[in-house]
Amino acid sequence: MYELFFNIVFKRMDPERAHHMAVRWIRLLARVPVLRTFAAAVLAPRHKELRTEALGLRMHGPFGLAAGFDKNAVAIDGMAMLGFDHVEIGTVTGEPQPGNPRKRLFRLVPDRALINRMGFNNEGSAAVADRLGARVPVFRTVVGVNIGKTKVVPEAEAVADYVKSAERLARHADYLVVNVSSPNTPGLRDLQATEVLRPLLSAVREAADRTVTDRRVPLLVKIAPDLADEDVDAVADLAVELGLDGIIATNTTIAREGLGLTSDPSVVKETGGLSGAPLKERSLEVLRRLYARVGDRLVLVGVGGVENAEDAWQRILAGATLVQGYSAFIYEGPFYARAVHKGLAARLKASPYATLADAVGADTRKATA
């Protein structure tokens, strides 16, 4: 039914317009008690065997919504209603910004992929902090806050910009993510170099600790799939050195490998970050490399090309404690999270592992033994 609806309605619409319409519908559904209760019962049944503890947090399961869908923290309860175990909002920048000129979001339907050059369009850290502070949760879900650099801020002032966001948002975050890996903000990926990343992460850690004194806000960094292997290792070592809590692998890619079905070559040539199915293999490679490097010293979050339960299961076996999706949600629709959870429960039951925690990294450990 969703595929039919997608082909008749969404496929004919501008992708960004369709996104905003979908968010409005989800928000509206979540505001009506009887409808949200029914929707959650159908779309978010709980599987006790999937309960997950990560980052000092308890979650219904390991599968969450990646950053990018809910930039301004307007649909957290709606996404929890659809079954996501955690919702990562953002990317939020220190100051509000409109993002890049439209058209900036493109579907590659046959390849089950997206290209975006949104450019961190968001209302800014002050507005998002106010919204999170006023929020009365309807569903219990873990909320991550992903922060990035304001485009007009020069690289020399990037640390102060991130710190501003951390000071405003850390108290409202179950965990905090430093995003230095989007390809759509000029110079942002340069911040992944360890000599630049070290003072940035240290400053954000200090800001979170200074702002939130009654608990420790977990801090993660999100990296690009386009890093060379030695740079992946360097970031992993730095994260351990600084006492970070985790790494999210990976963001979108500027590469175009894996595309072959999309009939319109002009879309493939669009600049921006590619997400979805073509990103699957490289994201999995980066995840395996990270786990081989850090083991269980960090929480690894696998994202990029997670289309179904098998993809999520492979991320867990590779070393991910948590898994995220976004692009596949566009193509799979509201039953996406339900299908992933059902499939994960079945795979765990059929596996030799008693718990999901036992399965984390199992394949990578075997390969490196």
Side-chain angles (χ1 to χ4, degrees):
M1 289 180 64
Y2 178 76
E3 184 177 359
L4 180 64
F5 179 81
F6 180 89
N7 287 326
I8 293 175
V9 181
F10 277 172
K11 192 175 179 180
R12 299 173 185 270
M13 294 178 63
D14 172 78
E16 189 169 351
R17 182 185 171 206
H19 171 84
H20 290 306
M21 185 174 73
V23 171
R24 284 196 297 271
W25 287 350
I26 292 168
R27 293 177 67 187
L28 179 62
L29 188 62
R31 287 173 179 168
V32 182
V34 64
L35 294 180
R36 70 175 177 240
T37 300
F38 175 77
V42 173
L43 301 174
R46 302 304 182 189
H47 299 266
K48 292 182 180 180
E49 63 271 34
L50 298 183
R51 288 176 180 170
T52 300
E53 291 193 16
L55 305 171
L57 305 165
R58 293 182 178 180
M59 307 184 196
H60 294 297
F63 188 56
L65 180 69
F69 185 87
D70 187 5
K71 295 178 182 294
N72 294 307
V74 298
I76 294 170
D77 284 311
M79 304 316 295
M81 174 189 69
L82 296 182
F84 290 99
D85 302 312
H86 64 274
V87 176
E88 190 171 309
I89 63 105
T91 295
V92 183
T93 54
E95 301 299 331
Q97 59 184 29
N100 293 322
R102 301 188 187 194
K103 186 175 182 180
R104 53 193 181 181
L105 179 62
F106 307 87
R107 298 193 198 99
L108 296 83
V109 178
D111 286 301
R112 296 178 63 80
L114 301 171
I115 292 175
N116 94 82
R117 52 172 179 263
M118 303 299 290
F120 290 167
N121 54 308
N122 74 105
E123 296 174 5
S125 57
V128 174
D130 288 344
R131 181 171 294 117
L132 288 171
R135 175 175 172 256
V136 179
V138 174
F139 296 102
R140 184 178 70 83
T141 191
V142 166
V143 178
V145 177
N146 184 303
I147 60 174
K149 186 181 82 69
T150 306
K151 183 177 181 179
V152 298
V153 170
E155 186 175 327
E157 300 172 20
V159 171
D161 191 55
Y162 277 93
V163 165
K164 179 193 300 180
S165 294
E167 290 174 340
R168 290 172 173 170
L169 292 163
R171 64 173 57 88
H172 307 297
D174 291 314
Y175 69 86
L176 197 62
V177 182
V178 170
N179 185 353
V180 288
S181 50
S182 170
N184 300 316
T185 296
L188 185 73
R189 287 190 168 192
D190 295 340
L191 300 178
Q192 292 177 114
T194 54
E195 65 272 16
V196 182
L197 189 57
R198 178 179 281 105
L200 170 59
L201 293 174
S202 297
V204 171
R205 176 74 273 167
E206 291 172 5
D209 291 343
R210 182 173 63 251
T211 307
V212 185
T213 58
D214 59 338
R215 62 186 175 96
R216 185 181 187 276
V217 180
L219 180 63
L220 300 85
V221 63
K222 187 169 187 176
I223 64 172
D226 306 312
L227 285 176
D229 288 346
E230 57 269 25
D231 293 326
V232 172
D233 293 344
V235 172
D237 294 344
L238 177 64
V240 172
E241 174 195 330
L242 296 180
L244 262 63
D245 299 276
I247 299 175
I248 300 180
T250 61
N251 211 317
T252 59
T253 179
I254 58 174
R256 294 296 183 260
E257 283 80 8
L259 294 173
L261 300 174
T262 298
S263 58
D264 187 351
S266 65
V267 177
V268 178
K269 293 178 181 178
E270 293 288 352
T271 58
L274 174 71
S275 62
L279 186 55
K280 186 178 304 184
E281 291 306 316
R282 178 54 184 166
S283 291
L284 191 54
E285 288 175 4
V286 173
L287 179 62
R288 290 190 181 115
R289 190 171 190 92
L290 286 170
Y291 187 79
R293 193 81 175 184
V294 305
D296 59 3
R297 290 178 291 176
L298 298 176
V299 170
L300 300 181
V301 184
V303 58
V306 177
E307 295 191 274
N308 50 45
E310 179 60 24
D311 292 333
W313 181 241
Q314 291 302 318
R315 301 305 166 99
I316 290 168
L317 293 176
T321 300
L322 300 175
V323 182
Q324 294 179 340
Y326 172 9
S327 296
F329 176 53
I330 307 303
Y331 294 112
E332 294 295 321
F335 283 85
Y336 175 45
R338 175 191 168 105
V340 169
H341 285 119
K342 183 178 179 180
L344 277 179
R347 283 161 175 77
L348 178 61
K349 184 177 180 180
S351 78
Y353 311 110
T355 67
L356 274 183
D358 294 335
V360 172
D363 281 0
T364 303
R365 289 194 299 271
K366 290 176 185 176
T368 56

